[in-house]
Amino acid sequence: MPSLTLPYVPHYVAAPPSKETLEYADLGIIDISKADTEEGRAALAIEVREALLNHGFFYIVNHGYSQDQTDRIFDIADLPFSAVSDSEKQIYAGTMKQSGSYQGYKLRQYWHIGAGIRDQLEHYNINRDVTKRGHPETLRPLLPEIEEFSKHNHFNVLIARSLELPEDTLVNIHDYDAVGETFMKYYPRTEEEETKTRNVWLKGHTDFGSITILWSQPVAGLQIMTPGGEWRWVRHIENALVVNAGDALDFLTGGYYKGTIHRVVKPPEDQENYPRLGVFYFVMPNDDVKLVPMAESPVLQRVGIQRRCVDSEAPMMEQWRKARTSAYGQSELENGKEKGVEQEVLNGVLVKHYN
């Protein structure tokens, strides 16, 4: 019989939750365990609709991973950063600007944040098919676990129901083989870097996929922009998922579910010397999906469709993914009409960045 013993991984010790008084966003909490029944899915679809319309962000709890399993994933997520040498990282570095793909490492100081300051954030990005490219030696024994974790994250059923569409509508255009998941680690910055960027680590932006799933972790830093234009912190909930809408869902729903503007800022004082480790799963349509509204949705027919561009000029997902990946942190931005907003045009579509 094969051994059931998992490979040893050093335990990652995260920072304690912040005790600072912060202005938190009031986000909905979706208990996904209720999705086991038809009645439960119908009720949850309404909750998801309200959450996406109110903030575009919500939590998912009771998602099927125990706290021990989640802790194990964070242990694994830290390895590409703490257990791989700089020279080996260079071997597996991505070619974002050339290929429009984040696969492999996005190394520190690749993105320009502002005032001549570059980022202090590392990614290690893995395709859902973990065999598509090589990986650092320390990760190779763990690839089966990483692949199982990817499969656990892959669901779209409730959003389709919230649009009064068949449950498989979004599933059918979000194959598991589409591009995928990311481990990230933010490192503390110097006082000069904080001053020059006004404590902003990543400018306000939208994600370019359909939804992003962030596994909640204790170091505060993520903020969302409210409908009233105010920045609010996202609270950590133990063993919860933080889910937000992105550009692709905005395109597909004709602006009904808008991509949510969010940013990352310096953590509060009692956490400012800790790194911020993130586990993300980016749910994206297949590359050959044309990003036009799902006009067959009864909900969209009732509320009306607001297109970001005419259907004939709408980008394919592959075009949009590559354009956003290649440009982010590399392109020259123009000042927008709104205060504190910079902008660029990609594939004929206006993209805004918020300071």
Side-chain angles (χ1 to χ4, degrees), residues 113-152:
I113 303 302
I117 301 301
R118 306 192 78 80
D119 73 277
Q120 294 293 347
L121 164 63
E122 277 186 318
H123 292 190
Y124 188 69
N125 306 282
I126 304 175
N127 198 288
R128 292 168 194 157
D129 179 353
V130 297
T131 66
K132 277 195 171 180
R133 61 174 289 151
H135 301 280
E137 184 175 358
T138 190
L139 284 182
R140 292 170 199 165
L142 303 165
L143 293 177
E145 285 182 80
I146 294 170
E147 189 166 30
E148 284 303 310
F149 175 72
S150 288
K151 292 175 181 176
H152 182 75

mmCIF file of all heavy atoms in Angstrom, residues 113-152:
data_model
loop_
_atom_site.group_PDB
_atom_site.id
_atom_site.type_symbol
_atom_site.label_atom_id
_atom_site.label_comp_id
_atom_site.label_asym_id
_atom_site.label_seq_id
_atom_site.Cartn_x
_atom_site.Cartn_y
_atom_site.Cartn_z
ATOM 1 N N ILE A 113 5.572 51.256 -8.637
ATOM 2 C CA ILE A 113 4.418 51.630 -7.824
ATOM 3 C C ILE A 113 4.150 53.129 -7.906
ATOM 4 O O ILE A 113 3.007 53.561 -8.040
ATOM 5 C CB ILE A 113 4.634 51.218 -6.348
ATOM 6 C CG1 ILE A 113 4.910 49.715 -6.264
ATOM 7 C CG2 ILE A 113 3.426 51.589 -5.491
ATOM 8 C CD1 ILE A 113 3.827 48.834 -6.848
ATOM 9 N N GLY A 114 5.193 53.934 -7.862
ATOM 10 C CA GLY A 114 5.025 55.384 -7.932
ATOM 11 C C GLY A 114 6.219 56.081 -7.335
ATOM 12 O O GLY A 114 6.936 55.519 -6.498
ATOM 13 N N ALA A 115 6.477 57.333 -7.777
ATOM 14 C CA ALA A 115 7.563 58.170 -7.243
ATOM 15 C C ALA A 115 8.912 57.463 -7.310
ATOM 16 O O ALA A 115 9.759 57.627 -6.432
ATOM 17 C CB ALA A 115 7.245 58.584 -5.805
ATOM 18 N N GLY A 116 9.105 56.644 -8.359
ATOM 19 C CA GLY A 116 10.374 55.951 -8.534
ATOM 20 C C GLY A 116 10.542 54.715 -7.663
ATOM 21 O O GLY A 116 11.603 54.080 -7.673
ATOM 22 N N ILE A 117 9.504 54.337 -6.914
ATOM 23 C CA ILE A 117 9.562 53.186 -6.008
ATOM 24 C C ILE A 117 8.987 51.958 -6.710
ATOM 25 O O ILE A 117 7.935 52.027 -7.340
ATOM 26 C CB ILE A 117 8.785 53.460 -4.705
ATOM 27 C CG1 ILE A 117 9.367 54.684 -3.990
ATOM 28 C CG2 ILE A 117 8.801 52.236 -3.798
ATOM 29 C CD1 ILE A 117 10.819 54.559 -3.617
ATOM 30 N N ARG A 118 9.685 50.837 -6.547
ATOM 31 C CA ARG A 118 9.231 49.581 -7.126
ATOM 32 C C ARG A 118 8.741 48.644 -6.019
ATOM 33 O O ARG A 118 8.993 48.870 -4.840
ATOM 34 C CB ARG A 118 10.343 48.951 -7.958
ATOM 35 C CG ARG A 118 10.903 49.916 -9.018
ATOM 36 C CD ARG A 118 11.791 49.254 -10.020
ATOM 37 N NE ARG A 118 11.032 48.526 -11.029
ATOM 38 C CZ ARG A 118 10.444 49.096 -12.091
ATOM 39 N NH1 ARG A 118 10.533 50.396 -12.282
ATOM 40 N NH2 ARG A 118 9.787 48.361 -12.948
ATOM 41 N N ASP A 119 8.014 47.613 -6.422
ATOM 42 C CA ASP A 119 7.330 46.756 -5.448
ATOM 43 C C ASP A 119 8.297 45.888 -4.636
ATOM 44 O O ASP A 119 9.417 45.610 -5.061
ATOM 45 C CB ASP A 119 6.314 45.862 -6.163
ATOM 46 C CG ASP A 119 6.984 44.758 -6.964
ATOM 47 O OD1 ASP A 119 7.402 45.022 -8.114
ATOM 48 O OD2 ASP A 119 7.106 43.642 -6.444
ATOM 49 N N GLN A 120 7.804 45.419 -3.490
ATOM 50 C CA GLN A 120 8.513 44.450 -2.653
ATOM 51 C C GLN A 120 7.629 43.210 -2.490
ATOM 52 O O GLN A 120 7.363 42.731 -1.385
ATOM 53 C CB GLN A 120 8.854 45.065 -1.287
ATOM 54 C CG GLN A 120 9.844 46.195 -1.340
ATOM 55 C CD GLN A 120 11.242 45.737 -1.782
ATOM 56 O OE1 GLN A 120 11.537 44.541 -1.831
ATOM 57 N NE2 GLN A 120 12.101 46.681 -2.125
ATOM 58 N N LEU A 121 7.178 42.709 -3.608
ATOM 59 C CA LEU A 121 6.234 41.591 -3.639
ATOM 60 C C LEU A 121 6.746 40.512 -4.581
ATOM 61 O O LEU A 121 7.099 40.797 -5.725
ATOM 62 C CB LEU A 121 4.863 42.099 -4.114
ATOM 63 C CG LEU A 121 3.825 41.079 -4.578
ATOM 64 C CD1 LEU A 121 3.428 40.157 -3.441
ATOM 65 C CD2 LEU A 121 2.608 41.797 -5.137
ATOM 66 N N GLU A 122 6.795 39.291 -4.080
ATOM 67 C CA GLU A 122 7.130 38.148 -4.916
ATOM 68 C C GLU A 122 5.892 37.299 -5.163
ATOM 69 O O GLU A 122 5.061 37.132 -4.257
ATOM 70 C CB GLU A 122 8.189 37.268 -4.238
ATOM 71 C CG GLU A 122 9.612 37.732 -4.425
ATOM 72 C CD GLU A 122 10.606 36.739 -3.855
ATOM 73 O OE1 GLU A 122 10.375 36.211 -2.758
ATOM 74 O OE2 GLU A 122 11.631 36.499 -4.518
ATOM 75 N N HIS A 123 5.765 36.796 -6.394
ATOM 76 C CA HIS A 123 4.744 35.789 -6.713
ATOM 77 C C HIS A 123 5.454 34.495 -7.073
ATOM 78 O O HIS A 123 6.534 34.518 -7.659
ATOM 79 C CB HIS A 123 3.981 36.139 -8.000
ATOM 80 C CG HIS A 123 3.104 37.310 -7.962
ATOM 81 N ND1 HIS A 123 2.233 37.585 -9.003
ATOM 82 C CD2 HIS A 123 2.906 38.286 -7.051
ATOM 83 C CE1 HIS A 123 1.566 38.685 -8.748
ATOM 84 N NE2 HIS A 123 1.958 39.137 -7.572
ATOM 85 N N TYR A 124 4.783 33.390 -6.826
ATOM 86 C CA TYR A 124 5.094 32.163 -7.545
ATOM 87 C C TYR A 124 3.775 31.649 -8.102
ATOM 88 O O TYR A 124 2.840 31.363 -7.355
ATOM 89 C CB TYR A 124 5.766 31.086 -6.685
ATOM 90 C CG TYR A 124 6.221 29.933 -7.560
ATOM 91 C CD1 TYR A 124 7.274 30.118 -8.456
ATOM 92 C CD2 TYR A 124 5.579 28.708 -7.551
ATOM 93 C CE1 TYR A 124 7.674 29.103 -9.306
ATOM 94 C CE2 TYR A 124 5.979 27.691 -8.394
ATOM 95 C CZ TYR A 124 7.018 27.891 -9.275
ATOM 96 O OH TYR A 124 7.416 26.888 -10.136
ATOM 97 N N ASN A 125 3.698 31.591 -9.426
ATOM 98 C CA ASN A 125 2.448 31.298 -10.116
ATOM 99 C C ASN A 125 2.512 29.915 -10.755
ATOM 100 O O ASN A 125 3.471 29.587 -11.453
ATOM 101 C CB ASN A 125 2.205 32.352 -11.207
ATOM 102 C CG ASN A 125 2.253 33.754 -10.632
ATOM 103 O OD1 ASN A 125 1.314 34.216 -10.021
ATOM 104 N ND2 ASN A 125 3.391 34.426 -10.807
ATOM 105 N N ILE A 126 1.481 29.130 -10.514
ATOM 106 C CA ILE A 126 1.455 27.738 -10.951
ATOM 107 C C ILE A 126 0.251 27.507 -11.848
ATOM 108 O O ILE A 126 -0.881 27.856 -11.486
ATOM 109 C CB ILE A 126 1.385 26.791 -9.737
ATOM 110 C CG1 ILE A 126 2.552 27.061 -8.778
ATOM 111 C CG2 ILE A 126 1.387 25.331 -10.179
ATOM 112 C CD1 ILE A 126 2.497 26.250 -7.506
ATOM 113 N N ASN A 127 0.474 26.913 -13.003
ATOM 114 C CA ASN A 127 -0.642 26.520 -13.843
ATOM 115 C C ASN A 127 -1.383 25.381 -13.171
ATOM 116 O O ASN A 127 -0.800 24.569 -12.459
ATOM 117 C CB ASN A 127 -0.132 26.080 -15.218
ATOM 118 C CG ASN A 127 -1.226 26.088 -16.255
ATOM 119 O OD1 ASN A 127 -2.114 25.248 -16.236
ATOM 120 N ND2 ASN A 127 -1.169 27.055 -17.150
ATOM 121 N N ARG A 128 -2.691 25.306 -13.398
ATOM 122 C CA ARG A 128 -3.460 24.217 -12.769
ATOM 123 C C ARG A 128 -2.950 22.857 -13.213
ATOM 124 O O ARG A 128 -2.992 21.896 -12.453
ATOM 125 C CB ARG A 128 -4.934 24.382 -13.101
ATOM 126 C CG ARG A 128 -5.514 25.614 -12.412
ATOM 127 C CD ARG A 128 -6.876 25.978 -12.938
ATOM 128 N NE ARG A 128 -7.215 27.321 -12.486
ATOM 129 C CZ ARG A 128 -8.083 28.101 -13.083
ATOM 130 N NH1 ARG A 128 -8.697 27.682 -14.172
ATOM 131 N NH2 ARG A 128 -8.339 29.300 -12.616
ATOM 132 N N ASP A 129 -2.499 22.763 -14.446
ATOM 133 C CA ASP A 129 -1.795 21.558 -14.877
ATOM 134 C C ASP A 129 -0.346 21.743 -14.443
ATOM 135 O O ASP A 129 0.445 22.411 -15.111
ATOM 136 C CB ASP A 129 -1.892 21.390 -16.399
ATOM 137 C CG ASP A 129 -1.152 20.149 -16.893
ATOM 138 O OD1 ASP A 129 -0.457 19.502 -16.070
ATOM 139 O OD2 ASP A 129 -1.237 19.845 -18.089
ATOM 140 N N VAL A 130 -0.003 21.155 -13.306
ATOM 141 C CA VAL A 130 1.302 21.427 -12.689
ATOM 142 C C VAL A 130 2.462 20.855 -13.498
ATOM 143 O O VAL A 130 3.623 21.156 -13.208
ATOM 144 C CB VAL A 130 1.349 20.872 -11.248
ATOM 145 C CG1 VAL A 130 0.318 21.577 -10.374
ATOM 146 C CG2 VAL A 130 1.131 19.363 -11.229
ATOM 147 N N THR A 131 2.156 20.053 -14.527
ATOM 148 C CA THR A 131 3.224 19.454 -15.348
ATOM 149 C C THR A 131 3.605 20.328 -16.534
ATOM 150 O O THR A 131 4.510 19.978 -17.297
ATOM 151 C CB THR A 131 2.784 18.070 -15.869
ATOM 152 O OG1 THR A 131 1.674 18.231 -16.783
ATOM 153 C CG2 THR A 131 2.356 17.165 -14.730
ATOM 154 N N LYS A 132 2.936 21.484 -16.706
ATOM 155 C CA LYS A 132 3.174 22.294 -17.907
ATOM 156 C C LYS A 132 4.549 22.931 -17.936
ATOM 157 O O LYS A 132 5.043 23.291 -19.001
ATOM 158 C CB LYS A 132 2.092 23.374 -18.045
ATOM 159 C CG LYS A 132 0.818 22.861 -18.699
ATOM 160 C CD LYS A 132 -0.060 24.004 -19.155
ATOM 161 C CE LYS A 132 -1.213 23.475 -20.004
ATOM 162 N NZ LYS A 132 -2.102 24.563 -20.460
ATOM 163 N N ARG A 133 5.136 23.123 -16.763
ATOM 164 C CA ARG A 133 6.473 23.705 -16.719
ATOM 165 C C ARG A 133 7.187 23.187 -15.478
ATOM 166 O O ARG A 133 6.561 22.603 -14.580
ATOM 167 C CB ARG A 133 6.431 25.235 -16.732
ATOM 168 C CG ARG A 133 5.712 25.872 -15.573
ATOM 169 C CD ARG A 133 5.843 27.383 -15.608
ATOM 170 N NE ARG A 133 7.216 27.801 -15.289
ATOM 171 C CZ ARG A 133 7.784 28.900 -15.739
ATOM 172 N NH1 ARG A 133 7.117 29.701 -16.545
ATOM 173 N NH2 ARG A 133 9.010 29.236 -15.398
ATOM 174 N N GLY A 134 8.495 23.403 -15.432
ATOM 175 C CA GLY A 134 9.273 22.933 -14.299
ATOM 176 C C GLY A 134 9.051 23.769 -13.054
ATOM 177 O O GLY A 134 8.547 24.899 -13.122
ATOM 178 N N HIS A 135 9.453 23.229 -11.906
ATOM 179 C CA HIS A 135 9.280 23.904 -10.625
ATOM 180 C C HIS A 135 10.549 23.755 -9.790
ATOM 181 O O HIS A 135 11.317 22.805 -9.974
ATOM 182 C CB HIS A 135 8.105 23.287 -9.856
ATOM 183 C CG HIS A 135 6.797 23.359 -10.584
ATOM 184 N ND1 HIS A 135 6.029 24.493 -10.607
ATOM 185 C CD2 HIS A 135 6.156 22.437 -11.350
ATOM 186 C CE1 HIS A 135 4.945 24.254 -11.340
ATOM 187 N NE2 HIS A 135 5.010 23.028 -11.803
ATOM 188 N N PRO A 136 10.767 24.679 -8.842
ATOM 189 C CA PRO A 136 11.911 24.532 -7.940
ATOM 190 C C PRO A 136 11.887 23.172 -7.235
ATOM 191 O O PRO A 136 10.816 22.620 -6.956
ATOM 192 C CB PRO A 136 11.717 25.683 -6.941
ATOM 193 C CG PRO A 136 10.916 26.697 -7.690
ATOM 194 C CD PRO A 136 10.001 25.916 -8.576
ATOM 195 N N GLU A 137 13.060 22.677 -6.927
ATOM 196 C CA GLU A 137 13.182 21.317 -6.393
ATOM 197 C C GLU A 137 12.351 21.121 -5.130
ATOM 198 O O GLU A 137 11.728 20.067 -4.944
ATOM 199 C CB GLU A 137 14.649 21.028 -6.103
ATOM 200 C CG GLU A 137 14.913 19.611 -5.632
ATOM 201 C CD GLU A 137 16.398 19.324 -5.463
ATOM 202 O OE1 GLU A 137 17.212 20.230 -5.745
ATOM 203 O OE2 GLU A 137 16.723 18.208 -5.040
ATOM 204 N N THR A 138 12.300 22.119 -4.260
ATOM 205 C CA THR A 138 11.594 21.956 -2.990
ATOM 206 C C THR A 138 10.090 21.758 -3.173
ATOM 207 O O THR A 138 9.426 21.184 -2.298
ATOM 208 C CB THR A 138 11.865 23.173 -2.073
ATOM 209 O OG1 THR A 138 11.369 22.892 -0.766
ATOM 210 C CG2 THR A 138 11.197 24.436 -2.606
ATOM 211 N N LEU A 139 9.536 22.221 -4.300
ATOM 212 C CA LEU A 139 8.093 22.097 -4.531
ATOM 213 C C LEU A 139 7.698 20.792 -5.207
ATOM 214 O O LEU A 139 6.525 20.400 -5.155
ATOM 215 C CB LEU A 139 7.594 23.261 -5.400
ATOM 216 C CG LEU A 139 7.445 24.622 -4.733
ATOM 217 C CD1 LEU A 139 6.895 25.631 -5.727
ATOM 218 C CD2 LEU A 139 6.511 24.539 -3.520
ATOM 219 N N ARG A 140 8.626 20.129 -5.834
ATOM 220 C CA ARG A 140 8.264 18.977 -6.665
ATOM 221 C C ARG A 140 7.538 17.871 -5.905
ATOM 222 O O ARG A 140 6.539 17.345 -6.409
ATOM 223 C CB ARG A 140 9.518 18.438 -7.364
ATOM 224 C CG ARG A 140 10.063 19.415 -8.400
ATOM 225 C CD ARG A 140 11.425 19.002 -8.931
ATOM 226 N NE ARG A 140 12.107 20.134 -9.559
ATOM 227 C CZ ARG A 140 13.392 20.166 -9.850
ATOM 228 N NH1 ARG A 140 14.162 19.114 -9.585
ATOM 229 N NH2 ARG A 140 13.935 21.241 -10.405
ATOM 230 N N PRO A 141 7.955 17.500 -4.677
ATOM 231 C CA PRO A 141 7.204 16.452 -3.962
ATOM 232 C C PRO A 141 5.794 16.888 -3.554
ATOM 233 O O PRO A 141 4.974 16.052 -3.177
ATOM 234 C CB PRO A 141 8.067 16.181 -2.722
ATOM 235 C CG PRO A 141 9.386 16.808 -3.002
ATOM 236 C CD PRO A 141 9.121 17.946 -3.918
ATOM 237 N N LEU A 142 5.527 18.204 -3.617
ATOM 238 C CA LEU A 142 4.261 18.753 -3.127
ATOM 239 C C LEU A 142 3.257 19.036 -4.238
ATOM 240 O O LEU A 142 2.135 19.478 -3.973
ATOM 241 C CB LEU A 142 4.535 20.041 -2.345
ATOM 242 C CG LEU A 142 5.503 19.867 -1.180
ATOM 243 C CD1 LEU A 142 6.003 21.215 -0.702
ATOM 244 C CD2 LEU A 142 4.847 19.105 -0.045
ATOM 245 N N LEU A 143 3.648 18.787 -5.481
ATOM 246 C CA LEU A 143 2.768 19.113 -6.609
ATOM 247 C C LEU A 143 1.422 18.395 -6.553
ATOM 248 O O LEU A 143 0.392 19.001 -6.895
ATOM 249 C CB LEU A 143 3.485 18.833 -7.932
ATOM 250 C CG LEU A 143 4.681 19.749 -8.227
ATOM 251 C CD1 LEU A 143 5.355 19.340 -9.529
ATOM 252 C CD2 LEU A 143 4.253 21.211 -8.285
ATOM 253 N N PRO A 144 1.346 17.129 -6.140
ATOM 254 C CA PRO A 144 0.015 16.508 -6.032
ATOM 255 C C PRO A 144 -0.910 17.241 -5.061
ATOM 256 O O PRO A 144 -2.102 17.415 -5.344
ATOM 257 C CB PRO A 144 0.332 15.090 -5.539
ATOM 258 C CG PRO A 144 1.709 14.822 -6.042
ATOM 259 C CD PRO A 144 2.421 16.136 -5.911
ATOM 260 N N GLU A 145 -0.381 17.701 -3.938
ATOM 261 C CA GLU A 145 -1.205 18.470 -2.996
ATOM 262 C C GLU A 145 -1.639 19.800 -3.581
ATOM 263 O O GLU A 145 -2.779 20.234 -3.389
ATOM 264 C CB GLU A 145 -0.410 18.729 -1.712
ATOM 265 C CG GLU A 145 -0.267 17.534 -0.799
ATOM 266 C CD GLU A 145 0.493 17.904 0.452
ATOM 267 O OE1 GLU A 145 -0.111 18.496 1.378
ATOM 268 O OE2 GLU A 145 1.705 17.596 0.514
ATOM 269 N N ILE A 146 -0.724 20.464 -4.286
ATOM 270 C CA ILE A 146 -1.056 21.750 -4.892
ATOM 271 C C ILE A 146 -2.147 21.573 -5.944
ATOM 272 O O ILE A 146 -3.083 22.374 -6.043
ATOM 273 C CB ILE A 146 0.207 22.392 -5.495
ATOM 274 C CG1 ILE A 146 1.191 22.759 -4.378
ATOM 275 C CG2 ILE A 146 -0.146 23.622 -6.327
ATOM 276 C CD1 ILE A 146 2.559 23.180 -4.869
ATOM 277 N N GLU A 147 -2.068 20.502 -6.712
ATOM 278 C CA GLU A 147 -3.081 20.245 -7.737
ATOM 279 C C GLU A 147 -4.448 19.966 -7.109
ATOM 280 O O GLU A 147 -5.472 20.470 -7.574
ATOM 281 C CB GLU A 147 -2.646 19.076 -8.615
ATOM 282 C CG GLU A 147 -3.528 18.878 -9.836
ATOM 283 C CD GLU A 147 -2.890 17.942 -10.847
ATOM 284 O OE1 GLU A 147 -2.134 17.039 -10.440
ATOM 285 O OE2 GLU A 147 -3.168 18.115 -12.049
ATOM 286 N N GLU A 148 -4.471 19.186 -6.034
ATOM 287 C CA GLU A 148 -5.743 18.921 -5.348
ATOM 288 C C GLU A 148 -6.328 20.206 -4.778
ATOM 289 O O GLU A 148 -7.542 20.411 -4.793
ATOM 290 C CB GLU A 148 -5.526 17.894 -4.227
ATOM 291 C CG GLU A 148 -5.383 16.474 -4.718
ATOM 292 C CD GLU A 148 -6.579 16.022 -5.545
ATOM 293 O OE1 GLU A 148 -7.732 16.202 -5.077
ATOM 294 O OE2 GLU A 148 -6.378 15.512 -6.664
ATOM 295 N N PHE A 149 -5.463 21.066 -4.275
ATOM 296 C CA PHE A 149 -5.927 22.355 -3.752
ATOM 297 C C PHE A 149 -6.562 23.185 -4.867
ATOM 298 O O PHE A 149 -7.604 23.817 -4.668
ATOM 299 C CB PHE A 149 -4.749 23.098 -3.123
ATOM 300 C CG PHE A 149 -5.084 24.482 -2.650
ATOM 301 C CD1 PHE A 149 -5.870 24.675 -1.539
ATOM 302 C CD2 PHE A 149 -4.602 25.597 -3.329
ATOM 303 C CE1 PHE A 149 -6.190 25.948 -1.096
ATOM 304 C CE2 PHE A 149 -4.905 26.877 -2.895
ATOM 305 C CZ PHE A 149 -5.700 27.053 -1.774
ATOM 306 N N SER A 150 -5.967 23.180 -6.046
ATOM 307 C CA SER A 150 -6.536 23.911 -7.183
ATOM 308 C C SER A 150 -7.948 23.421 -7.489
ATOM 309 O O SER A 150 -8.871 24.217 -7.685
ATOM 310 C CB SER A 150 -5.672 23.714 -8.433
ATOM 311 O OG SER A 150 -4.469 24.416 -8.339
ATOM 312 N N LYS A 151 -8.099 22.131 -7.541
ATOM 313 C CA LYS A 151 -9.412 21.563 -7.875
ATOM 314 C C LYS A 151 -10.461 21.942 -6.834
ATOM 315 O O LYS A 151 -11.626 22.165 -7.154
ATOM 316 C CB LYS A 151 -9.306 20.041 -7.989
ATOM 317 C CG LYS A 151 -8.487 19.585 -9.191
ATOM 318 C CD LYS A 151 -8.295 18.076 -9.208
ATOM 319 C CE LYS A 151 -7.455 17.647 -10.406
ATOM 320 N NZ LYS A 151 -7.172 16.197 -10.392
ATOM 321 N N HIS A 152 -10.032 22.040 -5.580
ATOM 322 C CA HIS A 152 -10.967 22.400 -4.514
ATOM 323 C C HIS A 152 -11.509 23.819 -4.699
ATOM 324 O O HIS A 152 -12.639 24.116 -4.298
ATOM 325 C CB HIS A 152 -10.269 22.284 -3.156
ATOM 326 C CG HIS A 152 -11.156 22.589 -1.994
ATOM 327 N ND1 HIS A 152 -12.126 21.717 -1.550
ATOM 328 C CD2 HIS A 152 -11.236 23.683 -1.190
ATOM 329 C CE1 HIS A 152 -12.766 22.255 -0.523
ATOM 330 N NE2 HIS A 152 -12.240 23.445 -0.278
#
